[in-house]
Amino acid sequence: MIVFTEKEKLTPFIQNLKDEGKTIGFLPTMGALHEGHLSLAKASIQENDYTVVSIFVNPTQFNNLEDLEKYPRTEEKDIELLTSIGVDYVYLPSVADLYTEGEVAKKYDFGGIEHVMEGEFRPGHFDGVATVVGKLLRAVNPNRAYFGEKDFQQIRIVQEMVKQEQIDVTIVPMPIFRAETGLALSSRNMRLTPENLEAAPFIFQVLKEAGELKNQGQTPAEVKAYVEESFAQSPFELEYFEITDEEKLQPISTFKSDVKARGFVVAYAGDIRLIDNIQF
Ligand code: PAF
């Protein structure tokens, strides 16, 4: 395992490998790695000759300074984990390696998908994500980049960004990695109180029930009302539950067999923001 901290060294190194005909898989992360990240890295290791993982807590995607400061940082352990599964290279940039002094996120227009759900509740978040993922993809220049479907809207944003910026990479969406209890793995879970950790599988349970109601013929509005009522009786504070199509991420009023739909939920457990979704 080699750790790079400067793109000036990383970019030509990877380019040499590509010139030799090797394929490169890439997993961008903000660290605090868990089994979900490792499953993505393992997929990359299987599908590519070499795998690069970046660890960078990107300041431009946090609309809340406290959230940025509280974001767990476990670099040493992360590197040990990545080494143990056979990741070849880690890119661990400083802010100065990716951003110039005072640089802010680019302003993107993704045709509306950036304004709904996470875009509405975390203004500027996707500008920051698209900006940093663009920078990371240019620094690594991988053949494939892996993203988890827990952040499904983020995947749609990244897909649109690489199209707009003509970055030649295949975006590989990967299924949500869940604990046995059903809880979607997240770096934020490590900040849950023991009581909330025990109660948190409720979130996926409700999503599954929502899926069953859809299969029984209920409309999106009826399913939504059920989810909202269930949360009102739970220890979690629902921020939103939306049912949208998977392409434009616009709320749908009917389920149609030729339109893929997803239910998206965000809820607070104390001050921890949990996110999950399910394909209907
Ligand atoms: O999903 C994340 O961890 C981040 O949004 C990403 C893609 C690494 C960009 O900072």
Side-chain angles (χ1 to χ4, degrees):
M1 146 90 68
I2 305 179
V3 177
F4 291 88
T5 54
E6 292 162 58
K7 63 175 181 295
E8 274 191 12
K9 299 219 167 86
L10 173 74
T11 307
F13 181 91
I14 298 292
Q15 194 51 52
N16 275 342
L17 296 175
K18 289 184 85 177
D19 291 345
E20 288 167 13
K22 305 293 188 203
T23 57
I24 310 296
F26 174 51
L27 169 62
T29 80
M30 298 208 296
L33 303 182
H34 50 66
E35 278 298 324
H37 295 110
L38 297 186
S39 74
L40 268 58
K42 285 177 190 165
S44 171
I45 290 169
Q46 275 201 344
E47 292 166 10
N48 303 279
D49 294 315
Y50 293 99
T51 289
V52 183
V53 175
S54 65
I55 301 175
F56 179 64
V57 182
N58 172 37
T60 66
Q61 72 187 73
F62 286 83
N63 50 329
N64 174 338
L65 195 63
E66 199 187 324
D67 202 19
L68 169 64
E69 276 160 10
K70 279 195 183 157
Y71 203 85
R73 286 164 171 85
T74 58
E75 231 162 66
E76 250 175 58
K77 190 173 154 232
D78 292 345
I79 291 177
E80 266 172 37
L81 281 172
L82 296 173
T83 308
S84 74
I85 62 162
V87 166
D88 303 285
Y89 310 114
V90 169
Y91 177 37
L92 204 76
S94 60
V95 174
D97 199 51
L98 285 175
Y99 290 97
T100 55
E101 181 85 43
E103 185 180 348
V104 294
K106 277 196 212 174
K107 295 268 172 274
Y108 285 92
D109 178 353
F110 295 123
I113 60 168
E114 73 278 29
H115 296 312
V116 295
M117 297 189 287
E118 293 302 272
E120 183 185 340
F121 284 89
R122 302 180 70 187
H125 170 66
F126 286 129
D127 281 337
V129 169
T131 299
V132 81
V133 174
K135 285 175 183 288
L136 291 166
L137 289 174
R138 278 189 209 89
V140 180
N141 190 17
N143 301 85
R144 298 185 186 87
Y146 295 77
F147 291 85
E149 286 186 342
K150 182 166 72 64
D151 298 300
F152 189 88
Q153 191 174 4
Q154 169 170 279
I155 297 183
R156 288 290 303 114
I157 295 285
V158 169
Q159 286 169 333
E160 293 304 313
M161 183 275 292
V162 298
K163 245 192 261 167
Q164 267 182 30
E165 305 207 342
Q166 300 183 342
I167 300 177
D168 184 16
V169 61
T170 301
I171 302 301
V172 186
M174 295 288 292
I176 299 176
F177 196 94
R178 298 184 182 281
E180 261 176 39
T181 58
L183 176 64
L185 292 203
S186 161
S187 306
R188 290 166 197 256
N189 294 354
M190 61 175 82
R191 289 175 49 217
L192 288 171
T193 61
E195 298 77 45
N196 281 339
L197 187 62
E198 202 181 320
F202 160 84
I203 296 172
F204 183 52
Q205 187 55 40
V206 174
L207 286 181
K208 280 195 300 190
E209 286 165 13
E212 283 157 21
L213 293 179
K214 179 249 165 187
N215 292 340
Q216 288 162 20
Q218 295 214 1
T219 64
E222 286 165 337
V223 173
K224 194 171 168 181
Y226 173 80
V227 170
E228 288 173 352
E229 269 165 39
S230 305
F231 269 93
Q233 289 158 32
S234 81
F236 304 106
E237 196 188 320
L238 184 64
E239 185 166 75
Y240 66 77
F241 174 72
E242 289 295 348
I243 301 176
T244 79
D245 70 286
E246 286 194 350
E247 176 69 18
K248 300 264 180 238
L249 303 180
Q250 295 307 309
I252 53 170
S253 53
T254 46
F255 289 111
K256 294 189 182 138
S257 56
D258 58 342
V259 177
K260 283 191 184 157
R262 241 171 224 265
F264 295 89
V265 66
V266 172
Y268 278 90
D271 65 341
I272 315 294
R273 194 171 183 271
L274 298 173
I275 175 168
D276 202 348
N277 67 76
I278 191 168
Q279 188 175 46
F280 284 138

